[in-house]
Amino acid sequence: MTQITILGAGFGALTTLRELRRRNVDADVTIIAPKDEIHYLPSSIWIPAHLRRADELRIPLAHFFAKHRATFVRASVTGLGEGGRVVNTDAGDFPNDHLVIATGGRFIRKLPGIENALVPCEGLAVAEEIERRLSKMDGGAIAIGFATNPNEQGSMRGGPMFEYLFIIDQLLRKSGRRARFDITFFSPAPRPGARLGAKAVDGLLAEMASRGIKTHLGNKMVRFEPGKVVTEGGEFNADLILFMPGLTGPAWLEKSGLPLSPGGMVLADAQCRAKDHKNVWVVGDSGSFPGPDWMAKQAHQADLQAAAAAANIDAVLSRREPNAAFKAELICIVDMLDAGILVYRSEKFNFVSPKLRLFHWLKGLFEGYYLRHFR
């Protein structure tokens, strides 16, 4: 029987499995990942405000894998052999007929002193640490910012940092402590969040100004020090630093033999095929795809790419032309604890909503809708 191997257990990997079975693809499917659980990081922004606990966002996947007839292998990938037909791991080698790379990206931790910053999207434990530190602070300086991969501008996690910024500001207001804090938002980009669209950036910067949040923008990062952020345009104090660096591909890709982009991701086409490698597919942060410069890679976009990859695998197995292309689409709710704004962008349309309490509730409702597949 045909062997399909999927690397990873995040959004893109799980959607690929679900879409394959929805299409009635009759093949042996193996999932290789370090853990058989999904961490729903989009809702980790609410952990510091006690609206979520980490255990609520850590979903075991054994039931999901059994339901979709997938074999789980607990292992870390170390490389590829035979042009992708063999996956090398720390638990042995695994052959395949089709390979889907959906392992996500890797944060670039080269900035000197980055150990002095907390990187929120590294996991639920980081959100818990943010909660612990905030609860102990009665005043001081907080710095929140993000950067990107200079060789792959779309490889970033800007949205969660805007959310942490506004949520922390609102949380401090609710507890009566805001007046005792200086909050600074920083980024090497002069207009951070540009892929959301010009109107969204204007709105986010105006929201910062209305809340008394300082900005330090358009200056290249130099280093972090204990209690300080240093840039080429100056430095400022920070007792708590939240920073999201840019992303690159997993380290094992460097010796995989796959074609890589300047940013370290697998070069792929609009059908999610790795360039010049038959039956090797890539979805999400691991890939470098054609598309508009505002196109994201993670979450919703990874799901769209996973659906295209599954459709094309089905086509190949059915001896049809694999011509399903993913749609470039950005859907984002920037939460502010008791309200939010909705941003939608496609190649033809860019919409930014006013700030409404409705969108805070919709973000929570979507969490329940999305995770129902895995619970």
Side-chain angles (χ1 to χ4, degrees):
M1 184 175 285
T2 299
Q3 174 65 54
I4 300 173
T5 297
I6 301 174
L7 307 182
F11 293 151
L14 301 181
T15 298
T16 301
L17 171 59
R18 189 155 50 91
E19 286 292 314
L20 287 169
R21 294 313 191 201
R22 187 181 70 82
R23 292 176 171 275
N24 296 316
V25 171
D26 187 19
D28 287 336
V29 179
T30 298
I31 305 287
I32 300 177
K35 296 180 180 179
D36 57 344
E37 58 186 25
I38 183 171
H39 294 185
Y40 192 73
L41 292 179
S43 292
S44 64
I45 55 170
W46 291 326
I47 289 177
H50 302 141
L51 296 184
R52 293 294 185 277
R53 300 189 314 273
D55 286 346
E56 296 176 300
L57 305 177
R58 190 180 292 114
I59 313 300
L61 292 171
H63 173 73
F64 177 79
F65 291 150
K67 176 182 177 181
H68 291 85
R69 296 178 283 113
T71 300
F72 173 72
V73 174
R74 190 182 307 276
S76 295
V77 178
T78 58
L80 300 180
E82 300 181 23
R85 294 286 68 83
V86 175
V87 178
N88 310 124
T89 79
D90 57 6
D93 296 341
F94 298 86
N96 68 81
D97 299 298
H98 286 265
L99 175 65
V100 181
I101 300 171
T103 51
R106 171 172 52 107
F107 287 110
I108 302 172
R109 299 184 62 93
K110 293 182 179 180
L111 192 66
I114 196 171
E115 66 274 8
N116 295 300
L118 295 174
V119 180
C121 281
E122 281 192 323
L124 298 173
V126 180
E128 292 179 306
E129 180 62 18
I130 294 170
E131 187 278 325
R132 282 192 289 269
R133 295 195 191 184
L134 273 177
S135 66
K136 294 179 180 178
M137 296 177 71
D138 193 46
I142 299 174
I144 300 175
F146 67 89
T148 187
N149 181 332
N151 297 314
E152 193 107 7
Q153 290 294 320
S155 297
M156 66 174 73
R157 288 284 192 278
M161 303 315 289
F162 291 123
E163 294 182 300
Y164 268 106
L165 179 73
F166 296 129
I167 286 172
I168 287 175
D169 173 87
Q170 191 68 11
L171 185 61
L172 293 174
R173 291 176 187 276
K174 285 178 176 289
S175 64
R177 294 179 289 161
R178 178 64 176 90
R180 300 192 290 274
F181 284 85
D182 285 327
I183 302 179
T184 301
F185 182 78
F186 65 97
S187 173
R191 286 176 58 80
R195 69 182 183 182
L196 299 176
K199 183 179 178 181
V201 175
D202 291 341
L204 292 169
L205 293 176
E207 184 71 24
M208 293 179 204
S210 72
R211 292 169 178 260
I213 296 171
K214 301 174 183 178
T215 58
H216 189 86
L217 306 175
N219 298 292
K220 185 178 179 180
M221 303 295 303
V222 175
R223 65 183 180 275
F224 295 118
E225 297 178 3
K228 186 180 294 185
V229 177
V230 182
T231 76
E232 290 185 348
E235 60 185 48
F236 51 93
N237 293 331
D239 302 300
L240 175 63
I241 304 171
L242 309 186
F243 178 64
M244 199 84 79
L247 291 145
T248 186
W252 62 266
L253 284 179
E254 297 170 4
K255 297 181 180 180
S256 67
L258 296 174
L260 303 184
S261 69
M265 285 80 170
V266 179
L267 284 171
D269 63 15
Q271 286 70 40
C272 301
R273 295 174 293 202
K275 184 179 179 181
D276 300 326
H277 280 66
K278 184 179 180 181
N279 295 348
V280 176
W281 313 85
V282 58
V283 303
D285 281 317
S286 300
S288 180
F289 303 91
D293 57 7
W294 51 262
M295 189 175 75
K297 296 185 180 187
Q298 70 279 6
H300 175 61
Q301 190 63 61
D303 284 340
L304 295 175
Q305 291 164 350
N312 289 322
I313 292 172
D314 182 28
V316 171
L317 295 178
S318 302
R319 293 181 171 83
R320 292 182 281 108
E321 185 66 24
N323 55 13
F326 64 83
K327 179 182 181 181
E329 185 176 64
L330 188 154
I331 304 176
C332 172
I333 292 177
V334 180
D335 190 74
M336 301 176 182
L337 193 59
D338 56 2
I341 64 170
L342 171 68
V343 180
Y344 175 84
R345 192 167 189 180
S346 68
E347 296 193 75
K348 296 181 179 179
F349 189 60
N350 188 194
F351 169 78
V352 181
S353 77
K355 182 174 67 174
L356 296 173
R357 187 172 183 82
L358 167 68
F359 294 121
H360 169 73
W361 293 111
L362 281 179
K363 194 177 182 86
L365 288 173
F366 180 79
E367 171 201 298
Y369 167 79
Y370 194 88
L371 291 180
R372 84 190 194 284
H373 298 295
F374 312 116
R375 293 193 188 280

